[in-house]
Amino acid sequence: MCQVQGDDTLMIEEVKILKRSSTCLKCDEAAVVIARVKDAFCRHCFLGYVTHRFKATIGKSRLIRDKEKVLIAFSGGQNSSAVARLIHEGRSENQHKRSDSSQVSSTDDGIITQQTPEERRANRETITKLMNAYDLPTCVVPIEEVFSLRLSAESTLRVKDEDDVTMAMEHFSQLSIQDEASQRLQDILDSVKSLTAKEDLVKTLRHRLLADIAKQTGHTKVMLGDNGTNLASRVLSGMAQGRGVTVPLEVGFADNREGDSTFVRPLREFPSREVSLYNHLMGVESVCIPTLTTKASQYASINKLTDDFIHGLQVGFPSTVSTVLRTGEKLCMVSSSGDEGSCIMCKAPLDTNVSACSALESTQHSLAELSDPDRGQQTANGQCSLAVSCETSYDDQSSSECCGQGDGSCHSTKKTISFGDVSKGLCYGCRITVRDMKGVNSLPGYVLEEAGRRQRRSEMKEEIQDFLLTDDR
Amino acid sequence: MPVPCRKCGGSAILKRPKTGDALCKECFYAAFESEIHHTIVTGKLFTRGERVAVGASGGKDSTVLAYVLKLLNEKYDYGLDLVLLSVDEGITGYRDDSLETVKRNQQQYDLPLKIVSYEELYGWTMDSIVKQIGRKNNCTFCGVFRRQALDRGALLVNAGKIVTGHNADDIAETILMNILRGDIARLRRCADIITGAEGALPRCKPFKYTYEKEIVMYAYFKKLDYFSTECIYSPNAYRGYARAYLKDLEKIRSTSIIDIIHSGESLSIKKDVKMPTQGTCSRCAYISSQPVCKACTLLEGLNKGLPKLGIGKPHKARKRLDAVDLKASTDSSTPPPSSSSTSSDPAASIAPSSSSSSSPSSSNVAAEVKQVVDF
Ligand SMILES: [Zn+2]
Ligand SMILES: [Zn+2]
Ligand SMILES: [Zn+2]
Ligand SMILES: [Zn+2]
């Protein structure tokens, strides 16, 4: 959240760079900042440039209609604060249009960094105070809420009625933290061995929660604060975590894998430096809520390492961020086939149906060679370094308890879901993350439900296989 | 206390980098070889009766490759006719020693060996190129020339295919490199196990899924003889960044290399992104996206005594070189530029300003980065 330098050092740096040319590119005022690579701007023209570029980014996507309801995902950090401010500015400018009923939403992730309930409350208050500056309805939803998400909720139609929306908003703004859900999330987090996997899991859960809030409150777009520097880093770290297939979704302007609520990234054309400059010049307030890797070493996680790597390269080669981002843009989505063609965790197209000569298959081959004589050993030490070996590892954990909901929504009373069943519905990237966990039974209900549903469907299909004329799903 | 081998229960002597399993020597050999066999079979790399040129540099990858291919060819009866193929760049001290290694390998493995040299193919050794252009851009020349030299050598021995020792680490590194350089065309190709467009010989990489560390282990325990010195002219800084990043990734998650290759395999490129169309070079008939291929363009610059003119974007290099020709033909009293030295020709002064001075850091990167191995 706080990779940007403090404001003072930022301005000192500007003064240093500015020594050479000191008048604004657009007018003759004295320049105070450098934007893009070497354009000097005065305060007024810089702010104009940011506003223009922000609008242009949204405009050229042609995705956001006038008066469309937009949910701003707010963390309190520099990026999302800048988005909220820019949207706010835009609204006050067009006051006569009386547009939208956008909303600012935040997730309270305190449990992830093991904050005490008091700390979490304090942070929620801080965030709420910041959000109130933007004159929009707000809510802070605890991340634990992902355990209340239901697969069935997804299939219900989007609420259209004003009353429904008001009720949903009220619901979200009054949520309190459920101890039981907290404990369950804590257990999952504790069972994840690596920080890389933990970050990945948290991100997937948070996105799902945001998408759900948007759906229930009738918002069709969710604005994320990712800036260009973050996204360049995401291109590489996505590749490194086996998520090549989602790179175009993760770094493009729009990410539509959640269907009705499209995630958009209006700051993607700004490097992080320009975002902080904007905040500094506009006096935008933001806070630093620590994340999993705040203060950690560069080897703490793949994301952290990649952020540092990109930052370092950018210093030596100022075109790094834009080149990497452009590469990410030229990649495109493979279309997923049918409702069973996407990952049950992150909704990415499934990239695990690969040819015999592929990284995934070759890995499976290596493991199969070894696990032949004694398969049990993998379960015994609970350590298996690669995907498929796990398919059998956790079967013995399956017990007769139901999927953990205990509220009647569980359909799999017969037996719990095994690692293998879940794994089949996961993309390559999520498999890496899930195999880093001790078990799958504490995963959120919507994941397990979907895994169970697919499992049953594939059993059905097997049963009728001989009578099917085409290999249709 | 001896650790038991994961496979046979005997005493293990190593931990496999790829899976983290403790294995004895024999079980490691078996796993290593069986995986390469698996790659060869599933990737449909060869057909029976084929003559295959093994790119042999004397380094660890190609040494192990030659050894393993010979072994698998006999064990599984691929029916391949293997030939070792080496390129002599003409770098005193570096190539001399590694070529000695290749010659020893030839005797040990009892495979025919063909050596093609830059000197016989192009009339220039790397030493003489470096003497003329200095150390700054020489990797551009070497990279372009080597790619063609292997093809031409393979044609000379009637091989229909080239196998190279590129391993999983190399491929992951190249994927990262191509992202950093924004080279979409290469990014798309570099994860393929068989590459080579029409007109060029297919190249394949049986070590695509083999970790570099395991290749070293295999060579170490089998006591295979290889030569391991970096090219004395290779300063490639940018590739170094990608390599360092990859090594760091591996520290955090040991499967990163294979994960990156998976990512590379599942990428798809937007249809409307312009891809160069492949044709053949009008001078040497080698595969090329330009009327005159890169090697011929570089060579033309060298032969005109203006080596820098040939470096950079193909169409710009072409323009610069044609300008020189035009000048020579209109001004017939001066001797042809090919025999003049760099210093006095007025055209020489165009070169640096148009090709490499706009912004020093980025153009250096571009030049150094250009020579990245083209899979
Ligand atoms: Zn100005
Ligand atoms: Zn997934
Ligand atoms: Zn053994
Ligand atoms: Zn040519």
Side-chain angles (χ1 to χ4, degrees):
Chain A
M1 229 175 272
C2 277
Q3 297 137 336
V4 270
Q5 324 90 308
D7 291 344
D8 293 340
T9 50
L10 193 71
M11 290 320 285
I12 292 168
E13 202 179 286
E14 290 300 309
V15 172
K16 254 192 288 179
I17 310 171
L18 273 167
K19 263 183 199 149
R20 286 166 293 148
S21 59
S22 47
T23 49
C24 171
L25 180 88
K26 301 221 162 160
C27 65
D28 281 336
E29 295 282 312
V32 293
V33 297
I34 302 280
R36 290 178 290 219
V37 180
K38 47 189 169 187
D39 296 342
F41 280 114
C42 70
R43 180 180 185 279
H44 177 79
C45 295
F46 173 73
L47 295 175
Y49 149 79
V50 172
T51 311
H52 173 77
R53 201 161 190 189
F54 179 76
K55 285 184 186 159
T57 307
I58 294 173
K60 80 176 178 226
S61 75
R62 293 164 177 275
L63 281 174
I64 302 180
R65 284 167 286 115
D66 236 18
K67 299 188 183 177
E68 182 161 349
K69 295 176 71 173
V70 173
L71 187 79
I72 302 168
F74 192 83
S75 70
Q78 294 251 17
N79 291 331
S80 52
S81 297
V83 172
R85 181 59 172 261
L86 281 158
I87 290 288
H88 178 67
E89 296 285 311
R91 285 173 77 238
S92 32
E93 218 171 83
N94 299 326
Q95 200 57 272
H96 57 282
K97 277 196 199 160
R98 225 348 257 149
S99 58
D100 66 68
S101 54
S102 295
Q103 185 187 351
V104 198
S105 257
S106 188
T107 59
D108 166 11
D109 306 342
I111 185 169
I112 289 148
T113 46
Q114 294 173 333
Q115 293 166 12
T116 62
E118 289 72 39
E119 285 170 322
R120 290 184 75 177
R121 193 175 316 122
N123 283 332
R124 274 205 304 277
E125 269 163 30
T126 315
I127 298 264
T128 310
K129 215 158 97 196
L130 285 176
M131 291 196 292
N132 284 338
Y134 305 109
D135 195 21
L136 287 168
T138 64
C139 67
V140 183
V141 180
I143 185 98
E144 284 93 336
E145 200 50 26
V146 287
F147 291 110
S148 319
L149 302 188
R150 276 293 175 281
L151 196 62
S152 43
E154 231 171 82
S155 49
T156 58
L157 281 173
R158 173 183 294 283
V159 278
K160 284 270 158 60
D161 195 286
E162 275 301 314
D163 290 343
D164 290 348
V165 171
T166 320
M167 258 172 59
M169 287 222 239
E170 203 127 291
H171 164 73
F172 278 119
S173 58
Q174 287 171 355
L175 280 175
S176 58
I177 300 167
Q178 302 293 318
D179 287 344
E180 195 196 325
S182 285
Q183 192 52 51
R184 190 163 165 197
L185 184 58
Q186 195 61 62
D187 289 346
I188 296 184
L189 290 171
D190 289 347
S191 85
V192 181
K193 271 173 273 159
S194 73
L195 213 48
T196 302
K198 210 176 277 193
E199 280 186 316
D200 185 66
L201 179 69
V202 168
K203 186 180 151 219
T204 310
L205 295 179
R206 189 192 291 126
H207 273 216
R208 175 51 69 86
L209 183 56
L210 283 169
D212 189 72
I213 298 170
K215 272 174 200 164
Q216 295 199 39
T217 53
H219 291 84
T220 41
K221 296 286 183 304
V222 180
M223 267 189 193
L224 301 175
D226 306 299
N227 65 46
T229 311
N230 304 147
L231 294 175
S233 168
R234 192 91 43 85
V235 173
L236 279 190
S237 66
M239 291 293 290
Q241 293 173 65
R243 292 190 179 275
V245 75
T246 45
V247 162
L249 282 179
E250 302 255 315
V251 307
F253 177 77
D255 179 343
N256 60 0
R257 73 187 113 157
E258 286 288 350
D260 302 342
S261 24
T262 303
F263 285 72
V264 295
R265 304 180 178 89
L267 289 188
R268 70 186 303 281
E269 311 257 328
F270 299 97
S272 59
R273 207 178 127 268
E274 288 176 21
V275 175
S276 348
L277 281 172
Y278 174 81
N279 286 349
H280 177 73
L281 293 176
M282 288 293 282
V284 176
E285 276 189 70
S286 59
V287 288
C288 243
I289 308 267
T291 64
L292 278 169
T293 52
T294 308
K295 288 187 191 154
S297 93
Q298 64 163 321
Y299 297 112
S301 76
I302 289 181
N303 291 338
K304 179 92 173 176
L305 175 78
T306 311
D307 286 345
D308 281 16
F309 175 68
I310 287 285
H311 182 77
L313 267 189
Q314 179 74 8
V315 172
F317 309 101
S319 59
T320 304
V321 165
S322 62
T323 307
V324 171
L325 211 48
R326 253 187 293 120
T327 312
E329 265 162 32
K330 286 177 190 156
L331 307 173
C332 74
M333 277 290 295
V334 289
S335 49
S336 48
S337 49
D339 66 332
E340 280 166 27
S342 63
C343 173
I344 58 176
M345 287 260 290
C346 74
K347 297 214 167 178
L350 277 190
D351 53 353
T352 48
N353 189 7
V354 290
S355 75
C357 185
S358 60
L360 185 59
E361 285 294 323
S362 101
T363 303
Q364 304 199 342
H365 175 80
S366 305
L367 289 157
E369 285 274 298
L370 277 165
S371 47
D372 274 346
D374 51 352
R375 276 182 165 252
Q377 211 166 327
Q378 286 170 344
T379 324
N381 60 21
Q383 275 248 339
C384 46
S385 43
L386 290 155
V388 268
S389 67
C390 296
E391 299 224 344
T392 52
S393 306
Y394 296 106
D395 280 346
D396 60 345
Q397 289 188 356
S398 308
S399 59
S400 57
E401 63 180 322
C402 91
C403 69
Q405 292 303 320
D407 57 0
S409 67
C410 168
H411 303 289
S412 53
T413 43
K414 195 170 60 186
K415 65 169 186 121
T416 44
I417 275 164
S418 73
F419 191 95
D421 295 334
V422 173
S423 178
K424 268 178 236 157
L426 296 175
C427 70
Y428 188 98
C430 287
R431 278 190 195 180
I432 302 180
T433 295
V434 170
R435 78 169 179 242
D436 213 44
M437 302 169 43
K438 271 204 215 80
V440 293
N441 286 314
S442 49
L443 283 173
Y446 63 87
V447 175
L448 297 177
E449 274 177 56
E450 178 63 13
R453 193 185 70 84
R454 289 192 190 180
Q455 173 67 17
R456 287 189 301 278
R457 276 192 65 79
S458 87
E459 279 166 13
M460 271 153 67
K461 191 182 169 188
E462 220 163 272
E463 227 166 282
I464 56 170
Q465 185 66 56
D466 293 345
F467 301 94
L468 295 179
L469 297 177
T470 54
D471 191 35
D472 192 73
R473 282 174 194 277
Chain B
M1 193 185 74
V3 183
C5 169
R6 177 87 166 64
K7 181 105 178 158
C8 71
S11 76
I13 58 157
L14 59 85
K15 203 176 129 205
R16 267 196 92 179
K18 191 169 182 178
T19 57
D21 292 306
L23 291 179
C24 73
K25 218 193 274 185
E26 290 307 318
C27 290
F28 169 67
Y29 295 156
F32 183 89
E33 289 156 13
S34 123
E35 285 171 24
I36 291 156
H37 172 61
H38 180 257
T39 306
I40 289 172
V41 173
T42 56
K44 301 189 177 72
L45 300 193
F46 305 121
T47 43
R48 173 169 283 282
E50 210 169 23
R51 173 168 288 188
V52 174
V54 184
S57 66
K60 62 176 181 317
D61 298 317
S62 64
T63 301
V64 175
L65 180 67
Y67 177 89
V68 170
L69 275 185
K70 182 177 162 67
L71 184 145
L72 295 175
N73 191 28
E74 282 160 13
K75 184 172 176 188
Y76 295 101
D77 189 26
Y78 295 155
L80 297 179
D81 182 6
L82 298 170
V83 187
L84 295 178
L85 175 61
S86 277
V87 177
D88 180 0
E89 295 95 338
I91 305 175
T92 319
Y94 164 72
R95 222 11 142 202
D96 298 348
D97 296 352
S98 57
L99 281 176
E100 282 314 307
T101 314
V102 176
K103 284 175 192 160
R104 269 201 305 279
N105 288 342
Q106 171 198 12
Q107 287 160 6
Q108 286 157 355
Y109 307 160
D110 190 28
L111 291 170
L113 167 67
K114 170 74 187 171
I115 301 176
V116 286
S117 71
Y118 282 6
E119 190 161 25
E120 72 185 89
L121 290 177
Y122 308 113
W124 291 83
T125 64
M126 271 313 285
D127 285 343
S128 59
I129 292 174
V130 170
K131 214 172 275 166
Q132 199 183 54
I133 66 161
R135 293 196 166 205
K136 216 164 150 199
N137 284 318
N138 62 71
C139 278
T140 311
F141 284 86
C142 199
V144 170
F145 286 172
R146 187 184 303 120
R147 220 175 300 149
Q148 274 204 18
L150 269 182
D151 262 33
R152 295 187 181 185
L155 288 171
L156 285 176
V157 297
N158 287 321
K161 196 169 272 172
I162 300 167
V163 285
T164 60
H166 293 110
N167 58 45
D169 300 48
D170 294 331
I171 291 164
E173 194 178 293
T174 305
I175 291 172
L176 294 175
M177 272 291 289
N178 285 331
I179 291 174
L180 292 175
R181 299 189 312 162
D183 192 333
I184 285 288
R186 287 215 177 111
L187 182 58
R188 186 163 74 164
R189 276 181 276 141
C190 69
D192 291 346
I193 193 159
I194 304 178
T195 51
E198 245 175 282
L201 289 180
R203 284 166 186 237
C204 53
K205 298 168 271 189
F207 284 168
K208 183 178 174 190
Y209 303 114
T210 309
Y211 283 36
E212 186 170 273
K213 280 209 187 72
E214 303 213 340
I215 293 172
V216 176
M217 268 183 178
Y218 190 85
Y220 175 80
F221 287 114
K222 286 266 185 182
K223 300 193 172 59
L224 300 183
D225 183 13
Y226 70 80
F227 181 81
S228 61
T229 306
E230 291 276 303
C231 170
I232 54 166
Y233 293 139
S234 110
N236 190 358
Y238 212 60
R239 193 173 186 89
Y241 290 120
R243 181 169 301 170
Y245 173 62
L246 189 66
K247 292 268 173 274
D248 286 344
L249 281 175
E250 236 190 318
K251 273 182 223 154
I252 296 175
R253 178 177 275 167
S254 60
T255 60
S256 291
I257 287 172
I258 221 81
D259 296 342
I260 290 172
I261 298 179
H262 171 79
S263 285
E265 286 173 346
S266 53
L267 286 181
S268 63
I269 313 281
K270 272 186 189 161
K271 297 232 162 44
D272 52 3
V273 173
K274 249 195 275 165
M275 287 294 169
T277 46
Q278 301 279 30
T280 50
C281 169
S282 60
R283 299 194 186 170
C284 69
Y286 184 77
I287 177 93
S288 167
S289 54
Q290 301 292 325
V292 176
C293 77
K294 200 117 200 220
C296 288
T297 310
L298 288 176
L299 210 52
E300 192 183 337
L302 272 176
N303 291 334
K304 285 188 170 136
L306 304 165
K308 282 183 180 152
L309 294 197
I311 301 172
K313 290 232 160 67
H315 61 278
K316 286 193 184 149
R318 187 72 262 141
K319 235 181 249 167
R320 288 193 292 270
L321 288 164
D322 289 346
V324 175
D325 286 343
L326 195 68
K327 183 160 184 351
S329 60
T330 50
D331 190 8
S332 53
S333 61
T334 51
S338 57
S339 61
S340 73
S341 73
T342 45
S343 55
S344 60
D345 196 306
S349 61
I350 313 167
S353 64
S354 53
S355 71
S356 60
S357 70
S358 53
S359 118
S361 56
S362 65
S363 70
N364 274 352
V365 174
E368 275 176 9
V369 149
K370 278 274 149 52
Q371 63 91 48
V372 69
V373 193
D374 184 344
F375 289 116

